[in-house]
Amino acid sequence: MKYFVVSIAMVAIGLSSCQQNSEPQESASNDSVPAFSDMLEQYHEDLFRFYPLSATYEGDNRFNDQLPNSLSLSFRTDLKSFYQGYLDRLVQYNRDSLNENDQVSYDVLQWECQMALDEMAYDMHLMPINQFNSLLLEIGQQAGGTSAQPFKTAKDYENWIQRLQGYVDWMDTAVACMQKGIDKQIVLPKPLAEKVIPQLAALDHGPVESHLFYTPAAHLPEGLSENQKEQITATYRAMVSDQIIPAYQRMRKFFEETYLPACRATSGIDGIPNGKEYYQLQIKKYTTTDMTADQVFEVGTKEVDRLMKELEAVKQQVGYEGDLKSFFDYVRNRKELMPYTDAQQVIDHFKAIHEKMKPNLEKLFRHTPKAGFEVRRTEAFREASASAEYVAGSNDGSRPGIFYVPVPDAKKYNIFGDEDLFLHEAIPGHHYQVSLAQENQDLPTFRQRLWYSAYGEGWALYSESLGKELGLYTDPYQYFGMLSGEMHRAIRLVVDVGMHVKGWTREEAIQYSLEHEAEPEASIVAEIERYMSWPGQALSYKIGQLKIRELRTYAEHELGDAFDIRAFHDLVLGSGCIPLAILESRVKNWVAAQKANA
């Protein structure tokens, strides 16, 4: 998986100003102390004013015309006040008097607010754009007209134009921030900036009617009058030609002439001021633990060694006589594992995997999502640098959960890891975890959409291990794909820490990956550059998986024949996304209750 797309565009935040051009946001306040549940709902509502894209993803259309300038001083100042204000509100409640579910909500909200405030101590808003994860890509995805932003009515079309005006403001502020970043030596590694330039170049020219941002106007819905159609097409043509294209031209010129020459040669975040301290905070954020970088590195190297032995066993099973490294090359290039000539065949292959496993899902899960599910090809404008990903559906079910698959060249697409990939990104991985949380009416609204990578990605990686129980991995190459997927996440612990605090270069990280996994080199390069752009996030998968696996083993050992795998999965998925320490407490309390009632 590339990453689970949370319901907001991820934006960096900091304390110093770039350019002030958005209206202040007021934090909610109330002299009386509301009921705890009401306070939680107010938090969720107030958050929309800072992140209206989050509302759009949830299917709440009230904010579809809004896009605050998240890089402006006023926005960041008010966001800090918002989080501090809710920390102050929490202390008005006696946690011990709350029920178990509300105690979890109390702890989660406290974590959310404090982590946000801790991140604001760093000027990461001075690197607002990278090749993998920024508002630049998020808005581009919406611009195609087939994502969360609705285009069904004339009002929908008007809303998007208003949102795009905010986006143009954001782009200009981003340039100002990056200029400040140059002054403070807070800049991207050069290889990442080089990857951004083609993304900008794809959108900095006409013809207007072929431009991505004109797409909604080229596919108008039924029910609009002729006058409305003429007005929409004229407005979109003017927006693209007069504002969108010039904004991309300005940014491309800045990247090529000013930013790229100033970018750093280092690969890790320790190459910027206070980078090592920032990375330790990211470890805490993305693993929800207090592990140090050295501890993460040690876990990673041990897991890599263990998995190398398991991969060796599969190599011997299929009768390959060379060493493991050459077997990786053999798998990467085996023609039988690249059977397709058209991208739709790849999409159909994933649908067939789903059909194969369906009969066994009820053996492992009592509750399955009501939400719809689709497999789609990744949009062309970002396909070359994208990884597979899951995008959550809307809360009301009007938009399904979507598993996006990049297929830049179907003839070179290798299927050896597809069963594993489907289990992770789709079912029972992200689609089950995310959709069941959204549909869980026992959770306060803010927890229905909350995301912690250690839990969410940990669950998805754990889901990969369920393949044999679901009737998959009967082909040794697909089982090799599962082991390779797990190895891929173990490698992340090593190379992420290696680059960000141990002085590894991009090239050293690429070489380490090539020697320990079967992914093609182009994919490995994209992955390593992803880790460079998003410090710490890649650690979450393996740390979370190891904890869930540990908790399952604990429950099986403690309960013996009374252990019910479906009940265990219900418990793990029943709280929504939570930090790992809270999950561990819930599982151990559940085990104790089961034993007491036996």
Side-chain angles (χ1 to χ4, degrees):
M1 173 186 177
K2 181 173 102 173
Y3 63 97
F4 169 74
V5 179
V6 190
S7 54
I8 63 174
M10 302 299 288
V11 292
I13 47 183
L15 290 179
S16 66
S17 65
C18 302
Q19 176 177 322
Q20 185 170 347
N21 58 359
S22 73
E23 294 300 318
Q25 311 272 344
E26 295 182 1
S27 296
S29 63
N30 195 327
D31 293 334
S32 61
V33 179
F36 186 71
S37 60
D38 291 341
M39 185 273 292
L40 296 179
E41 292 305 308
Q42 190 63 51
Y43 169 81
H44 183 259
E45 181 75 11
D46 289 346
L47 198 61
F48 283 158
R49 294 184 295 110
F50 293 96
Y51 298 113
L53 272 173
S54 177
T56 301
Y57 269 98
E58 293 189 22
D60 184 336
N61 295 323
R62 293 174 296 159
F63 308 91
N64 286 352
D65 62 336
Q66 299 177 28
L67 191 69
N69 191 336
S70 59
L71 299 174
S72 69
L73 175 61
S74 60
F75 179 94
R76 290 178 288 105
T77 299
D78 293 326
L79 188 62
K80 181 181 179 182
S81 297
F82 166 78
Y83 283 118
Q84 186 59 58
Y86 271 95
L87 276 181
D88 295 341
R89 292 185 186 193
L90 270 177
V91 300
Q92 301 177 77
Y93 300 92
N94 181 356
R95 183 187 179 280
D96 292 339
S97 68
L98 302 174
N99 62 40
E100 181 183 1
N101 193 32
D102 283 345
Q103 286 181 347
V104 171
S105 296
Y106 185 104
D107 295 341
V108 168
L109 182 56
Q110 185 176 57
W111 172 282
E112 283 288 290
C113 294
Q114 190 60 59
M115 180 57 67
L117 291 171
D118 289 346
E119 286 194 289
M120 289 181 194
Y122 298 89
D123 286 336
M124 301 309 294
H125 69 296
L126 301 183
M127 290 194 300
I129 292 172
N130 60 59
Q131 88 294 354
F132 182 78
N133 180 38
S134 73
L135 187 62
L136 199 74
L137 297 175
E138 182 68 21
I139 292 296
Q141 189 172 5
Q142 302 302 319
T146 59
S147 191
Q149 186 83 22
F151 291 96
K152 298 178 181 179
T153 67
K155 177 61 175 173
D156 289 340
Y157 278 81
E158 180 183 340
N159 287 339
W160 181 239
I161 289 292
Q162 294 298 317
R163 182 164 269 180
L164 284 184
Q165 186 59 64
Y167 175 57
V168 172
D169 292 342
W170 182 92
M171 290 182 74
D172 288 336
T173 308
V175 171
C177 283
M178 288 186 286
Q179 183 63 64
K180 278 204 167 188
I182 292 173
D183 298 338
K184 291 191 172 187
Q185 298 183 313
I186 301 175
V187 293
L188 288 176
K190 185 164 289 188
L192 305 193
E194 289 173 343
K195 295 291 174 64
V196 173
I197 292 173
Q199 295 173 344
L200 299 172
L203 298 170
D204 75 345
H205 59 275
V208 169
E209 287 75 11
S210 301
H211 198 280
L212 174 68
F213 282 71
Y214 185 78
T215 304
H219 299 88
L220 295 172
E222 297 181 1
L224 297 178
S225 68
E226 290 303 315
N227 182 59
Q228 287 174 321
K229 291 178 182 178
E230 291 176 5
Q231 184 176 1
I232 288 171
T233 53
T235 301
Y236 274 63
R237 189 177 293 111
M239 170 59 77
V240 174
S241 64
D242 299 344
Q243 297 198 56
I244 295 296
I245 289 177
Y248 276 91
Q249 289 173 341
R250 292 192 297 272
M251 186 169 284
R252 180 185 178 183
K253 185 173 187 291
F254 172 77
F255 258 83
E256 290 181 333
E257 298 180 4
T258 304
Y259 196 67
L260 185 61
C263 285
R264 55 191 165 95
T266 55
S267 300
I269 200 65
D270 60 350
I272 70 170
N274 302 313
K276 285 190 176 181
E277 294 82 0
Y278 177 75
Y279 186 66
Q280 186 58 52
L281 181 63
Q282 297 310 290
I283 292 177
K284 181 176 182 179
K285 175 180 178 178
Y286 286 114
T287 70
T288 64
T289 73
D290 292 321
M291 295 178 72
T292 65
D294 286 341
Q295 288 172 329
V296 171
F297 191 86
E298 182 180 0
V299 170
T301 53
K302 288 181 178 178
E303 282 294 284
V304 168
D305 290 344
R306 176 183 67 81
L307 288 162
M308 288 293 284
K309 295 175 183 176
E310 296 199 38
L311 289 166
E312 177 72 31
V314 176
K315 185 204 76 171
Q316 294 177 6
Q317 179 186 355
V318 300
Y320 185 82
E321 296 182 355
D323 62 18
L324 192 56
K325 185 176 180 181
S326 67
F327 185 58
F328 290 157
D329 289 330
Y330 172 75
V331 174
R332 289 187 192 109
N333 299 298
R334 190 168 187 259
K335 294 301 181 183
E336 291 85 349
L337 296 173
M338 293 180 278
Y340 301 129
T341 58
D342 182 80
Q344 186 57 46
Q345 292 175 304
V346 176
I347 303 303
D348 291 341
H349 176 60
F350 281 106
K351 293 178 179 178
I353 292 171
H354 187 198
E355 291 301 317
K356 183 178 180 180
M357 63 189 287
K358 275 183 178 179
N360 294 305
L361 284 168
E362 64 182 19
K363 298 177 183 178
L364 299 184
F365 298 93
R366 284 189 298 203
H367 300 292
T368 57
K370 299 175 184 176
F373 169 79
E374 292 182 11
V375 183
R376 294 184 189 174
R377 183 181 180 182
T378 303
E379 302 93 339
F381 83 96
R382 64 190 184 95
E383 187 173 40
S385 60
S387 301
E389 62 180 324
Y390 175 79
V391 178
S394 59
N395 282 9
D396 64 3
S398 61
R399 189 185 70 256
I402 301 169
F403 169 33
Y404 282 102
V405 183
V407 193
D409 187 346
K411 294 180 181 179
K412 296 180 180 179
Y413 186 91
N414 194 310
I415 66 170
F416 81 92
D418 279 3
E419 289 184 353
D420 166 74
L421 182 61
F422 188 86
L423 291 169
H424 181 112
E425 300 293 347
I427 297 172
H430 289 309
H431 182 61
Y432 270 31
Q433 183 266 311
V434 173
S435 299
L436 287 172
Q438 287 178 198
E439 296 167 9
N440 188 344
Q441 296 303 306
D442 291 334
L443 300 181
T445 308
F446 90 99
R447 282 176 56 197
Q448 290 175 348
R449 296 288 297 208
L450 199 58
W451 183 254
Y452 292 105
S453 286
Y455 173 95
E457 299 296 1
W459 167 260
L461 185 53
Y462 165 80
S463 294
E464 296 179 31
S465 69
L466 302 177
K468 288 190 175 182
E469 294 171 90
L470 290 169
L472 303 180
Y473 302 153
T474 55
D475 179 349
Y477 287 102
Q478 290 296 327
Y479 185 66
F480 180 82
M482 186 275 287
L483 292 174
S484 296
E486 188 173 3
M487 172 65 86
H488 186 60
R489 280 46 170 246
I491 287 170
R492 285 174 170 174
L493 302 184
V494 178
V495 299
D496 200 79
V497 173
M499 286 192 294
H500 289 300
V501 296
K502 291 185 177 293
W504 286 28
T505 65
R506 167 183 174 273
E507 290 69 29
E508 286 173 325
I510 290 170
Q511 187 59 37
Y512 184 89
S513 297
L514 285 171
E515 292 175 355
H516 292 90
E517 64 176 325
E519 288 292 308
E521 184 171 0
S523 296
I524 285 174
V525 170
E527 284 288 302
I528 294 301
E529 291 176 348
R530 164 196 166 175
Y531 313 150
M532 292 164 64
S533 72
W534 205 356
Q537 190 273 342
L539 309 178
S540 54
Y541 302 71
K542 200 75 177 76
I543 298 302
Q545 177 229 26
L546 289 173
K547 176 56 67 175
I548 295 173
R549 180 188 290 168
E550 172 194 315
L551 293 174
R552 175 173 170 173
T553 300
Y554 168 80
E556 288 174 333
H557 178 267
E558 291 293 316
L559 298 177
D561 293 340
F563 176 77
D564 182 344
I565 185 60
R566 298 196 303 167
F568 175 78
H569 287 156
D570 283 350
L571 177 72
V572 172
L573 294 174
S575 300
C577 227
I578 52 179
L580 295 180
I582 299 176
L583 176 64
E584 181 170 11
S585 176
R586 281 181 53 80
V587 171
K588 290 187 174 179
N589 288 342
W590 173 74
V591 169
Q594 295 294 304
K595 293 172 72 173
N597 294 329

